[in-house]
Amino acid sequence: MKKKKKRRITLFGLLVPVLAVVLFLTLCPQYRYVLAEKLGINCDEIKMTKVKPGDLSQFTLEELKADEKVLFNQSMMLINTEYLLQDDYVADLSCYNNTDLQMNCCIHDAYKELSLAVNSETGSKLYVSSAYRTYEEQLEQYEKDSETATVAGASEHQTGLALDVYVAYNAGFNFLKTEAGRFVNSNCWEYGFIIRYPSYGQDETGIKYEPWHIRYVGAPHAEIIYNNQLTLEEYILSLKDNVWYEIDGYLISRQIPGDNASLTLPNKYSSAVISPDNTGSYIITIKK
């Protein structure tokens, strides 16, 4: 009798996580593809809803740039030691909130909302210790501290998309000891940011955990990355070329430009954000 009882408990213990995954995939289809890729499941069998080819048309980059419904930005660029910034790269910068702090233009509103939320929820003011850096400044930073800083050309700070944040008297790892630091790490995805170098991601990023380093990617990408404990490398490289995925009212596609520098988009949509991903493709994010 004891042996049978023990066998039942073992089988039950094995079934619980399997059933939990099945239930999650059933209730949350918007994350099926990303979660399946993370678990090593065949994503051809569990894939996102695709847009039918008849609903799509090709548009040149010039046509899209002239379309008032389309916003081109740099939010989905992957920058690391494998995907270095090109020599001719120019960051889309402007000064934040009437200060001399330069950030990528696409993150201004999101960072303002995040900083207001931090102050409202924790009573602390969020500060930025480092935002945009030139190639020369990144080179100098690396020469000073090669343990923390990455080589010039591989730093997100050169795009203005990344921010090193802190609160008074608490920077670096001490940031995480504060209520504000914990709020940022748990909730920045709601404002389009991710913790770029998470505690679980060193094998993919090559960089140790940095709870102070936030990176803008926008909606719905930040939510997908956060909910599935992905790195930016895993997420971007998991998107198959020229496939459309439907996620919570958004359509996402990673595309290599075709003939005449063209991309394929739905004929009808409310708005679109298009960003190069620094691997030779563009990531298109459509709001249906």
Side-chain angles (χ1 to χ4, degrees), residues 7-261:
R7 190 156 46 242
R8 290 194 194 99
I9 292 173
T10 303
L11 289 172
F12 180 75
L14 290 171
L15 283 172
V16 167
V18 174
L19 290 172
V21 170
V22 172
L23 180 62
F24 181 85
L25 292 174
T26 301
L27 296 178
C28 304
Q30 64 267 37
Y31 298 121
R32 283 182 184 175
Y33 174 76
V34 180
L35 182 62
E37 189 74 26
K38 185 73 172 177
L39 296 178
I41 299 171
N42 186 349
C43 295
D44 289 331
E45 297 176 2
I46 308 175
K47 51 179 174 279
M48 293 291 191
T49 303
K50 293 182 181 180
V51 178
K52 295 179 181 179
D55 298 330
L56 303 171
S57 296
Q58 283 194 332
F59 302 90
T60 66
L61 292 176
E62 291 304 315
E63 288 173 332
L64 292 169
K65 288 177 181 178
D67 189 336
E68 61 182 13
K69 295 186 298 182
V70 178
L71 172 66
F72 277 81
N73 67 22
Q74 301 171 337
S75 60
M76 290 302 294
M77 293 185 67
L78 177 62
I79 304 104
N80 55 32
T81 53
E82 182 177 356
Y83 296 102
L84 298 170
L85 289 168
Q86 300 298 310
D87 292 339
D88 59 353
Y89 170 75
V90 177
D92 184 14
L93 300 171
S94 59
C95 291
Y96 173 72
N97 202 27
N98 298 318
T99 69
D100 59 358
L101 185 66
Q102 288 190 306
M103 298 181 184
N104 197 290
C105 294
C106 68
I107 81 172
H108 285 221
D109 291 342
Y111 178 70
K112 183 176 182 179
E113 291 180 8
L114 174 61
S115 60
L116 288 173
V118 169
N119 186 255
S120 175
E121 295 294 327
T122 72
S124 296
K125 185 175 180 180
L126 195 62
Y127 296 97
V128 176
S129 62
S130 183
Y132 170 70
R133 297 176 194 156
T134 64
Y135 180 93
E136 292 72 23
E137 288 170 336
Q138 183 61 35
L139 182 61
E140 182 180 352
Q141 191 80 9
Y142 180 74
E143 290 173 347
K144 286 182 179 179
D145 183 9
S146 61
E147 288 293 320
T148 303
T150 190
V151 297
S155 173
E156 296 188 322
H157 283 289
Q158 292 173 243
T159 66
L161 294 166
L163 305 172
D164 291 342
V165 295
Y166 71 103
V167 293
Y169 311 112
N170 288 281
F173 281 105
N174 284 336
F175 179 57
L176 201 55
K177 296 179 181 179
T178 68
E179 186 180 358
R182 292 188 293 273
F183 178 88
V184 168
N185 274 251
S186 297
N187 299 281
C188 68
W189 64 269
E190 296 184 45
Y191 305 90
F193 291 92
I194 58 171
I195 301 300
R196 178 63 177 92
Y197 307 116
S199 58
Y200 52 81
Q202 187 174 350
D203 287 345
E204 287 77 26
T205 66
I207 296 177
K208 295 178 181 179
Y209 181 35
E210 293 189 1
W212 61 86
H213 182 112
I214 62 175
R215 156 66 197 269
Y216 183 77
V217 293
H221 310 288
E223 182 177 3
I224 298 169
I225 290 169
Y226 175 81
N227 281 342
N228 294 282
Q229 290 194 324
L230 297 168
T231 61
L232 188 59
E233 282 81 0
E234 288 176 299
Y235 177 58
I236 288 181
L237 299 177
S238 73
L239 297 173
K240 296 182 179 180
D241 290 338
N242 304 315
V243 175
W244 284 94
Y245 303 99
E246 184 171 5
I247 304 170
D248 273 352
Y250 289 90
L251 296 171
I252 298 171
S253 181
R254 182 173 179 235
Q255 298 181 20
I256 300 172
D259 295 338
N260 300 318

